[in-house]
PDB file of all heavy atoms in Angstrom:
ATOM      1  N   HIS A   1      -7.105  -3.880  -5.293  1.00 95.00           N
ATOM      2  CA  HIS A   1      -7.365  -4.298  -3.908  1.00 95.00           C
ATOM      3  C   HIS A   1      -6.825  -3.207  -2.994  1.00 95.00           C
ATOM      4  O   HIS A   1      -5.690  -2.761  -3.165  1.00 95.00           O
ATOM      5  CB  HIS A   1      -6.629  -5.603  -3.574  1.00 95.00           C
ATOM      6  CG  HIS A   1      -7.204  -6.803  -4.224  1.00 95.00           C
ATOM      7  ND1 HIS A   1      -7.769  -7.824  -3.517  1.00 95.00           N
ATOM      8  CD2 HIS A   1      -7.318  -7.157  -5.544  1.00 95.00           C
ATOM      9  CE1 HIS A   1      -8.193  -8.761  -4.356  1.00 95.00           C
ATOM     10  NE2 HIS A   1      -7.922  -8.372  -5.587  1.00 95.00           N
ATOM     11  N   LEU A   2      -7.627  -2.806  -2.018  1.00 96.00           N
ATOM     12  CA  LEU A   2      -7.195  -1.856  -1.005  1.00 96.00           C
ATOM     13  C   LEU A   2      -7.251  -2.573   0.326  1.00 96.00           C
ATOM     14  O   LEU A   2      -8.276  -3.167   0.674  1.00 96.00           O
ATOM     15  CB  LEU A   2      -8.093  -0.622  -0.967  1.00 96.00           C
ATOM     16  CG  LEU A   2      -8.220   0.191  -2.257  1.00 96.00           C
ATOM     17  CD1 LEU A   2      -9.219   1.313  -2.082  1.00 96.00           C
ATOM     18  CD2 LEU A   2      -6.874   0.759  -2.665  1.00 96.00           C
ATOM     19  N   ILE A   3      -6.134  -2.533   1.080  1.00 96.00           N
ATOM     20  CA  ILE A   3      -6.092  -3.192   2.380  1.00 96.00           C
ATOM     21  C   ILE A   3      -5.726  -2.132   3.415  1.00 96.00           C
ATOM     22  O   ILE A   3      -4.699  -1.461   3.290  1.00 96.00           O
ATOM     23  CB  ILE A   3      -5.070  -4.346   2.385  1.00 96.00           C
ATOM     24  CG1 ILE A   3      -5.430  -5.342   1.277  1.00 96.00           C
ATOM     25  CG2 ILE A   3      -5.034  -5.029   3.743  1.00 96.00           C
ATOM     26  CD1 ILE A   3      -4.288  -6.201   0.825  1.00 96.00           C
ATOM     27  N   PHE A   4      -6.593  -1.974   4.403  1.00 97.00           N
ATOM     28  CA  PHE A   4      -6.387  -0.980   5.449  1.00 97.00           C
ATOM     29  C   PHE A   4      -6.035  -1.691   6.739  1.00 97.00           C
ATOM     30  O   PHE A   4      -6.736  -2.603   7.158  1.00 97.00           O
ATOM     31  CB  PHE A   4      -7.658  -0.137   5.626  1.00 97.00           C
ATOM     32  CG  PHE A   4      -8.026   0.627   4.393  1.00 97.00           C
ATOM     33  CD1 PHE A   4      -8.854   0.052   3.421  1.00 97.00           C
ATOM     34  CD2 PHE A   4      -7.540   1.900   4.172  1.00 97.00           C
ATOM     35  CE1 PHE A   4      -9.180   0.743   2.267  1.00 97.00           C
ATOM     36  CE2 PHE A   4      -7.866   2.597   3.021  1.00 97.00           C
ATOM     37  CZ  PHE A   4      -8.685   2.019   2.060  1.00 97.00           C
ATOM     38  N   PHE A   5      -4.921  -1.277   7.372  1.00 96.00           N
ATOM     39  CA  PHE A   5      -4.453  -1.888   8.611  1.00 96.00           C
ATOM     40  C   PHE A   5      -4.846  -1.006   9.797  1.00 96.00           C
ATOM     41  O   PHE A   5      -4.964   0.217   9.653  1.00 96.00           O
ATOM     42  CB  PHE A   5      -2.940  -2.087   8.554  1.00 96.00           C
ATOM     43  CG  PHE A   5      -2.513  -3.013   7.447  1.00 96.00           C
ATOM     44  CD1 PHE A   5      -2.229  -2.522   6.174  1.00 96.00           C
ATOM     45  CD2 PHE A   5      -2.416  -4.377   7.664  1.00 96.00           C
ATOM     46  CE1 PHE A   5      -1.855  -3.375   5.153  1.00 96.00           C
ATOM     47  CE2 PHE A   5      -2.033  -5.239   6.644  1.00 96.00           C
ATOM     48  CZ  PHE A   5      -1.759  -4.736   5.381  1.00 96.00           C
ATOM     49  N   PRO A   6      -5.008  -1.582  10.971  1.00 96.00           N
ATOM     50  CA  PRO A   6      -5.437  -0.826  12.152  1.00 96.00           C
ATOM     51  C   PRO A   6      -4.510   0.328  12.537  1.00 96.00           C
ATOM     52  O   PRO A   6      -4.960   1.315  13.094  1.00 96.00           O
ATOM     53  CB  PRO A   6      -5.475  -1.872  13.271  1.00 96.00           C
ATOM     54  CG  PRO A   6      -5.550  -3.181  12.589  1.00 96.00           C
ATOM     55  CD  PRO A   6      -4.884  -3.013  11.255  1.00 96.00           C
ATOM     56  N   ASN A   7      -3.217   0.224  12.215  1.00 96.00           N
ATOM     57  CA  ASN A   7      -2.266   1.273  12.614  1.00 96.00           C
ATOM     58  C   ASN A   7      -2.276   2.482  11.670  1.00 96.00           C
ATOM     59  O   ASN A   7      -1.511   3.413  11.842  1.00 96.00           O
ATOM     60  CB  ASN A   7      -0.845   0.707  12.725  1.00 96.00           C
ATOM     61  CG  ASN A   7      -0.258   0.309  11.385  1.00 96.00           C
ATOM     62  OD1 ASN A   7      -0.909   0.363  10.347  1.00 96.00           O
ATOM     63  ND2 ASN A   7       1.004  -0.109  11.422  1.00 96.00           N
ATOM     64  N   GLY A   8      -3.127   2.458  10.624  1.00 95.00           N
ATOM     65  CA  GLY A   8      -3.209   3.584   9.691  1.00 95.00           C
ATOM     66  C   GLY A   8      -2.470   3.337   8.380  1.00 95.00           C
ATOM     67  O   GLY A   8      -2.606   4.099   7.431  1.00 95.00           O
ATOM     68  N   THR A   9      -1.690   2.281   8.302  1.00 97.00           N
ATOM     69  CA  THR A   9      -1.016   1.914   7.053  1.00 97.00           C
ATOM     70  C   THR A   9      -2.053   1.317   6.109  1.00 97.00           C
ATOM     71  O   THR A   9      -2.981   0.653   6.538  1.00 97.00           O
ATOM     72  CB  THR A   9       0.095   0.878   7.343  1.00 97.00           C
ATOM     73  OG1 THR A   9       1.089   1.501   8.154  1.00 97.00           O
ATOM     74  CG2 THR A   9       0.744   0.364   6.064  1.00 97.00           C
ATOM     75  N   TRP A  10      -1.899   1.595   4.812  1.00 97.00           N
ATOM     76  CA  TRP A  10      -2.779   0.954   3.843  1.00 97.00           C
ATOM     77  C   TRP A  10      -2.009   0.581   2.588  1.00 97.00           C
ATOM     78  O   TRP A  10      -0.978   1.158   2.281  1.00 97.00           O
ATOM     79  CB  TRP A  10      -4.018   1.797   3.530  1.00 97.00           C
ATOM     80  CG  TRP A  10      -3.769   3.139   2.898  1.00 97.00           C
ATOM     81  CD1 TRP A  10      -3.359   4.278   3.509  1.00 97.00           C
ATOM     82  CD2 TRP A  10      -3.947   3.467   1.518  1.00 97.00           C
ATOM     83  NE1 TRP A  10      -3.260   5.304   2.604  1.00 97.00           N
ATOM     84  CE2 TRP A  10      -3.620   4.825   1.369  1.00 97.00           C
ATOM     85  CE3 TRP A  10      -4.347   2.759   0.398  1.00 97.00           C
ATOM     86  CZ2 TRP A  10      -3.681   5.491   0.154  1.00 97.00           C
ATOM     87  CZ3 TRP A  10      -4.418   3.418  -0.822  1.00 97.00           C
ATOM     88  CH2 TRP A  10      -4.085   4.767  -0.930  1.00 97.00           C
ATOM     89  N   LYS A  11      -2.515  -0.431   1.913  1.00 97.00           N
ATOM     90  CA  LYS A  11      -1.828  -1.017   0.755  1.00 97.00           C
ATOM     91  C   LYS A  11      -2.798  -1.068  -0.412  1.00 97.00           C
ATOM     92  O   LYS A  11      -3.962  -1.438  -0.260  1.00 97.00           O
ATOM     93  CB  LYS A  11      -1.372  -2.427   1.128  1.00 97.00           C
ATOM     94  CG  LYS A  11      -0.682  -3.208   0.040  1.00 97.00           C
ATOM     95  CD  LYS A  11      -0.247  -4.565   0.629  1.00 97.00           C
ATOM     96  CE  LYS A  11       0.471  -5.429  -0.362  1.00 97.00           C
ATOM     97  NZ  LYS A  11       0.923  -6.694   0.247  1.00 97.00           N
ATOM     98  N   LYS A  12      -2.284  -0.675  -1.582  1.00 97.00           N
ATOM     99  CA  LYS A  12      -3.080  -0.749  -2.812  1.00 97.00           C
ATOM    100  C   LYS A  12      -2.361  -1.674  -3.775  1.00 97.00           C
ATOM    101  O   LYS A  12      -1.191  -1.464  -4.097  1.00 97.00           O
ATOM    102  CB  LYS A  12      -3.248   0.631  -3.442  1.00 97.00           C
ATOM    103  CG  LYS A  12      -4.008   0.601  -4.759  1.00 97.00           C
ATOM    104  CD  LYS A  12      -4.115   1.992  -5.371  1.00 97.00           C
ATOM    105  CE  LYS A  12      -4.870   1.943  -6.691  1.00 97.00           C
ATOM    106  NZ  LYS A  12      -4.949   3.272  -7.318  1.00 97.00           N
ATOM    107  N   VAL A  13      -3.054  -2.713  -4.216  1.00 96.00           N
ATOM    108  CA  VAL A  13      -2.517  -3.624  -5.221  1.00 96.00           C
ATOM    109  C   VAL A  13      -3.275  -3.315  -6.505  1.00 96.00           C
ATOM    110  O   VAL A  13      -4.498  -3.422  -6.556  1.00 96.00           O
ATOM    111  CB  VAL A  13      -2.696  -5.101  -4.810  1.00 96.00           C
ATOM    112  CG1 VAL A  13      -2.137  -6.024  -5.887  1.00 96.00           C
ATOM    113  CG2 VAL A  13      -2.022  -5.369  -3.475  1.00 96.00           C
ATOM    114  N   GLY A  14      -2.539  -2.918  -7.541  1.00 94.00           N
ATOM    115  CA  GLY A  14      -3.161  -2.548  -8.805  1.00 94.00           C
ATOM    116  C   GLY A  14      -3.862  -3.730  -9.455  1.00 94.00           C
ATOM    117  O   GLY A  14      -3.624  -4.890  -9.111  1.00 94.00           O
ATOM    118  N   SER A  15      -4.709  -3.425 -10.417  1.00 91.00           N
ATOM    119  CA  SER A  15      -5.478  -4.471 -11.097  1.00 91.00           C
ATOM    120  C   SER A  15      -4.573  -5.460 -11.831  1.00 91.00           C
ATOM    121  O   SER A  15      -4.965  -6.597 -12.074  1.00 91.00           O
ATOM    122  CB  SER A  15      -6.483  -3.847 -12.067  1.00 91.00           C
ATOM    123  OG  SER A  15      -5.799  -2.995 -12.971  1.00 91.00           O
ATOM    124  N   ASP A  16      -3.327  -5.048 -12.144  1.00 92.00           N
ATOM    125  CA  ASP A  16      -2.372  -5.954 -12.793  1.00 92.00           C
ATOM    126  C   ASP A  16      -1.745  -6.928 -11.789  1.00 92.00           C
ATOM    127  O   ASP A  16      -1.064  -7.873 -12.173  1.00 92.00           O
ATOM    128  CB  ASP A  16      -1.269  -5.169 -13.509  1.00 92.00           C
ATOM    129  CG  ASP A  16      -0.424  -4.302 -12.576  1.00 92.00           C
ATOM    130  OD1 ASP A  16      -0.639  -4.337 -11.338  1.00 92.00           O
ATOM    131  OD2 ASP A  16       0.450  -3.586 -13.083  1.00 92.00           O
ATOM    132  N   GLY A  17      -1.948  -6.679 -10.493  1.00 90.00           N
ATOM    133  CA  GLY A  17      -1.383  -7.534  -9.450  1.00 90.00           C
ATOM    134  C   GLY A  17       0.099  -7.322  -9.229  1.00 90.00           C
ATOM    135  O   GLY A  17       0.697  -7.942  -8.350  1.00 90.00           O
ATOM    136  N   LYS A  18       0.715  -6.446 -10.018  1.00 93.00           N
ATOM    137  CA  LYS A  18       2.158  -6.226  -9.936  1.00 93.00           C
ATOM    138  C   LYS A  18       2.528  -4.849  -9.401  1.00 93.00           C
ATOM    139  O   LYS A  18       3.638  -4.651  -8.934  1.00 93.00           O
ATOM    140  CB  LYS A  18       2.791  -6.406 -11.323  1.00 93.00           C
ATOM    141  CG  LYS A  18       2.677  -7.812 -11.864  1.00 93.00           C
ATOM    142  CD  LYS A  18       3.280  -7.892 -13.256  1.00 93.00           C
ATOM    143  CE  LYS A  18       3.140  -9.296 -13.832  1.00 93.00           C
ATOM    144  NZ  LYS A  18       3.616  -9.360 -15.213  1.00 93.00           N
ATOM    145  N   THR A  19       1.612  -3.905  -9.513  1.00 96.00           N
ATOM    146  CA  THR A  19       1.874  -2.557  -9.034  1.00 96.00           C
ATOM    147  C   THR A  19       1.324  -2.455  -7.622  1.00 96.00           C
ATOM    148  O   THR A  19       0.120  -2.605  -7.406  1.00 96.00           O
ATOM    149  CB  THR A  19       1.211  -1.510  -9.947  1.00 96.00           C
ATOM    150  OG1 THR A  19       1.634  -1.733 -11.293  1.00 96.00           O
ATOM    151  CG2 THR A  19       1.578  -0.098  -9.532  1.00 96.00           C
ATOM    152  N   ILE A  20       2.231  -2.215  -6.670  1.00 97.00           N
ATOM    153  CA  ILE A  20       1.831  -2.196  -5.268  1.00 97.00           C
ATOM    154  C   ILE A  20       2.282  -0.868  -4.651  1.00 97.00           C
ATOM    155  O   ILE A  20       3.425  -0.450  -4.836  1.00 97.00           O
ATOM    156  CB  ILE A  20       2.463  -3.375  -4.494  1.00 97.00           C
ATOM    157  CG1 ILE A  20       2.008  -4.701  -5.109  1.00 97.00           C
ATOM    158  CG2 ILE A  20       2.128  -3.307  -3.013  1.00 97.00           C
ATOM    159  CD1 ILE A  20       2.803  -5.907  -4.640  1.00 97.00           C
ATOM    160  N   THR A  21       1.371  -0.218  -3.934  1.00 97.00           N
ATOM    161  CA  THR A  21       1.705   0.997  -3.208  1.00 97.00           C
ATOM    162  C   THR A  21       1.317   0.797  -1.753  1.00 97.00           C
ATOM    163  O   THR A  21       0.171   0.436  -1.468  1.00 97.00           O
ATOM    164  CB  THR A  21       0.954   2.219  -3.786  1.00 97.00           C
ATOM    165  OG1 THR A  21       1.272   2.340  -5.172  1.00 97.00           O
ATOM    166  CG2 THR A  21       1.352   3.504  -3.067  1.00 97.00           C
ATOM    167  N   ILE A  22       2.275   1.031  -0.859  1.00 98.00           N
ATOM    168  CA  ILE A  22       2.007   0.944   0.574  1.00 98.00           C
ATOM    169  C   ILE A  22       2.237   2.329   1.157  1.00 98.00           C
ATOM    170  O   ILE A  22       3.313   2.905   1.001  1.00 98.00           O
ATOM    171  CB  ILE A  22       2.928  -0.083   1.273  1.00 98.00           C
ATOM    172  CG1 ILE A  22       2.768  -1.460   0.637  1.00 98.00           C
ATOM    173  CG2 ILE A  22       2.616  -0.128   2.779  1.00 98.00           C
ATOM    174  CD1 ILE A  22       3.813  -2.464   1.065  1.00 98.00           C
ATOM    175  N   THR A  23       1.210   2.878   1.781  1.00 97.00           N
ATOM    176  CA  THR A  23       1.324   4.166   2.450  1.00 97.00           C
ATOM    177  C   THR A  23       1.339   3.887   3.945  1.00 97.00           C
ATOM    178  O   THR A  23       0.346   3.409   4.495  1.00 97.00           O
ATOM    179  CB  THR A  23       0.161   5.093   2.055  1.00 97.00           C
ATOM    180  OG1 THR A  23       0.137   5.210   0.632  1.00 97.00           O
ATOM    181  CG2 THR A  23       0.328   6.481   2.675  1.00 97.00           C
ATOM    182  N   PHE A  24       2.475   4.165   4.569  1.00 97.00           N
ATOM    183  CA  PHE A  24       2.658   3.860   5.985  1.00 97.00           C
ATOM    184  C   PHE A  24       2.065   4.953   6.867  1.00 97.00           C
ATOM    185  O   PHE A  24       1.916   6.093   6.440  1.00 97.00           O
ATOM    186  CB  PHE A  24       4.140   3.668   6.296  1.00 97.00           C
ATOM    187  CG  PHE A  24       4.737   2.476   5.592  1.00 97.00           C
ATOM    188  CD1 PHE A  24       5.367   2.619   4.364  1.00 97.00           C
ATOM    189  CD2 PHE A  24       4.651   1.211   6.148  1.00 97.00           C
ATOM    190  CE1 PHE A  24       5.911   1.522   3.708  1.00 97.00           C
ATOM    191  CE2 PHE A  24       5.190   0.104   5.502  1.00 97.00           C
ATOM    192  CZ  PHE A  24       5.819   0.261   4.270  1.00 97.00           C
ATOM    193  N   PHE A  25       1.778   4.596   8.091  1.00 96.00           N
ATOM    194  CA  PHE A  25       1.173   5.523   9.051  1.00 96.00           C
ATOM    195  C   PHE A  25       2.026   6.753   9.301  1.00 96.00           C
ATOM    196  O   PHE A  25       1.528   7.809   9.642  1.00 96.00           O
ATOM    197  CB  PHE A  25       0.876   4.803  10.385  1.00 96.00           C
ATOM    198  CG  PHE A  25       2.096   4.314  11.086  1.00 96.00           C
ATOM    199  CD1 PHE A  25       2.766   5.107  11.995  1.00 96.00           C
ATOM    200  CD2 PHE A  25       2.593   3.038  10.828  1.00 96.00           C
ATOM    201  CE1 PHE A  25       3.904   4.652  12.642  1.00 96.00           C
ATOM    202  CE2 PHE A  25       3.722   2.574  11.476  1.00 96.00           C
ATOM    203  CZ  PHE A  25       4.384   3.386  12.381  1.00 96.00           C
ATOM    204  N   ASN A  26       3.359   6.660   9.106  1.00 96.00           N
ATOM    205  CA  ASN A  26       4.256   7.796   9.344  1.00 96.00           C
ATOM    206  C   ASN A  26       4.411   8.693   8.116  1.00 96.00           C
ATOM    207  O   ASN A  26       5.189   9.629   8.130  1.00 96.00           O
ATOM    208  CB  ASN A  26       5.625   7.305   9.815  1.00 96.00           C
ATOM    209  CG  ASN A  26       6.357   6.496   8.761  1.00 96.00           C
ATOM    210  OD1 ASN A  26       5.835   6.217   7.687  1.00 96.00           O
ATOM    211  ND2 ASN A  26       7.579   6.110   9.087  1.00 96.00           N
ATOM    212  N   GLY A  27       3.713   8.379   7.015  1.00 96.00           N
ATOM    213  CA  GLY A  27       3.791   9.191   5.797  1.00 96.00           C
ATOM    214  C   GLY A  27       4.731   8.626   4.749  1.00 96.00           C
ATOM    215  O   GLY A  27       4.729   9.088   3.608  1.00 96.00           O
ATOM    216  N   ASP A  28       5.554   7.632   5.107  1.00 97.00           N
ATOM    217  CA  ASP A  28       6.420   7.000   4.111  1.00 97.00           C
ATOM    218  C   ASP A  28       5.557   6.289   3.075  1.00 97.00           C
ATOM    219  O   ASP A  28       4.456   5.817   3.393  1.00 97.00           O
ATOM    220  CB  ASP A  28       7.346   5.962   4.753  1.00 97.00           C
ATOM    221  CG  ASP A  28       8.449   6.575   5.607  1.00 97.00           C
ATOM    222  OD1 ASP A  28       8.473   7.811   5.785  1.00 97.00           O
ATOM    223  OD2 ASP A  28       9.293   5.806   6.107  1.00 97.00           O
ATOM    224  N   VAL A  29       6.045   6.210   1.832  1.00 98.00           N
ATOM    225  CA  VAL A  29       5.323   5.527   0.765  1.00 98.00           C
ATOM    226  C   VAL A  29       6.291   4.616   0.013  1.00 98.00           C
ATOM    227  O   VAL A  29       7.366   5.041  -0.397  1.00 98.00           O
ATOM    228  CB  VAL A  29       4.692   6.531  -0.238  1.00 98.00           C
ATOM    229  CG1 VAL A  29       3.963   5.804  -1.358  1.00 98.00           C
ATOM    230  CG2 VAL A  29       3.747   7.487   0.477  1.00 98.00           C
ATOM    231  N   LYS A  30       5.894   3.354  -0.139  1.00 98.00           N
ATOM    232  CA  LYS A  30       6.695   2.391  -0.894  1.00 98.00           C
ATOM    233  C   LYS A  30       5.880   1.947  -2.095  1.00 98.00           C
ATOM    234  O   LYS A  30       4.725   1.535  -1.963  1.00 98.00           O
ATOM    235  CB  LYS A  30       7.031   1.184  -0.024  1.00 98.00           C
ATOM    236  CG  LYS A  30       7.824   0.105  -0.752  1.00 98.00           C
ATOM    237  CD  LYS A  30       8.112  -1.077   0.166  1.00 98.00           C
ATOM    238  CE  LYS A  30       8.889  -2.169  -0.538  1.00 98.00           C
ATOM    239  NZ  LYS A  30       9.170  -3.297   0.376  1.00 98.00           N
ATOM    240  N   GLN A  31       6.502   2.045  -3.283  1.00 98.00           N
ATOM    241  CA  GLN A  31       5.851   1.586  -4.511  1.00 98.00           C
ATOM    242  C   GLN A  31       6.697   0.491  -5.131  1.00 98.00           C
ATOM    243  O   GLN A  31       7.921   0.630  -5.227  1.00 98.00           O
ATOM    244  CB  GLN A  31       5.710   2.725  -5.521  1.00 98.00           C
ATOM    245  CG  GLN A  31       4.763   3.821  -5.086  1.00 98.00           C
ATOM    246  CD  GLN A  31       4.736   4.918  -6.132  1.00 98.00           C
ATOM    247  OE1 GLN A  31       5.678   5.686  -6.259  1.00 98.00           O
ATOM    248  NE2 GLN A  31       3.648   4.980  -6.871  1.00 98.00           N
ATOM    249  N   VAL A  32       6.045  -0.585  -5.555  1.00 97.00           N
ATOM    250  CA  VAL A  32       6.717  -1.635  -6.307  1.00 97.00           C
ATOM    251  C   VAL A  32       6.075  -1.631  -7.690  1.00 97.00           C
ATOM    252  O   VAL A  32       4.860  -1.768  -7.814  1.00 97.00           O
ATOM    253  CB  VAL A  32       6.562  -3.019  -5.630  1.00 97.00           C
ATOM    254  CG1 VAL A  32       7.273  -4.090  -6.450  1.00 97.00           C
ATOM    255  CG2 VAL A  32       7.096  -2.984  -4.207  1.00 97.00           C
ATOM    256  N   MET A  33       6.917  -1.440  -8.710  1.00 96.00           N
ATOM    257  CA  MET A  33       6.420  -1.343 -10.075  1.00 96.00           C
ATOM    258  C   MET A  33       6.438  -2.728 -10.740  1.00 96.00           C
ATOM    259  O   MET A  33       7.118  -3.638 -10.270  1.00 96.00           O
ATOM    260  CB  MET A  33       7.276  -0.351 -10.872  1.00 96.00           C
ATOM    261  CG  MET A  33       7.462   1.002 -10.177  1.00 96.00           C
ATOM    262  SD  MET A  33       5.935   1.766  -9.623  1.00 96.00           S
ATOM    263  CE  MET A  33       5.410   2.538 -11.121  1.00 96.00           C
TER     264      MET A  33
END
């Protein structure tokens, strides 16, 4: 699943539903394994 927010942040939820990557508009990246 790819979710794009109006402020430029986007979130990717892996096919396993457990791996999540959020790329913030300021360039920060958060990954949950």
Side-chain angles (χ1 to χ4, degrees):
H1 288 245
L2 302 176
I3 303 158
F4 298 89
F5 298 89
N7 68 355
T9 295
W10 63 282
K11 178 177 181 178
K12 177 182 180 182
V13 179
S15 55
D16 62 3
K18 295 178 182 175
T19 306
I20 300 167
T21 303
I22 302 169
T23 304
F24 296 94
F25 64 90
N26 65 356
D28 289 4
V29 179
K30 178 181 179 179
Q31 293 178 287
V32 180
M33 309 309 277

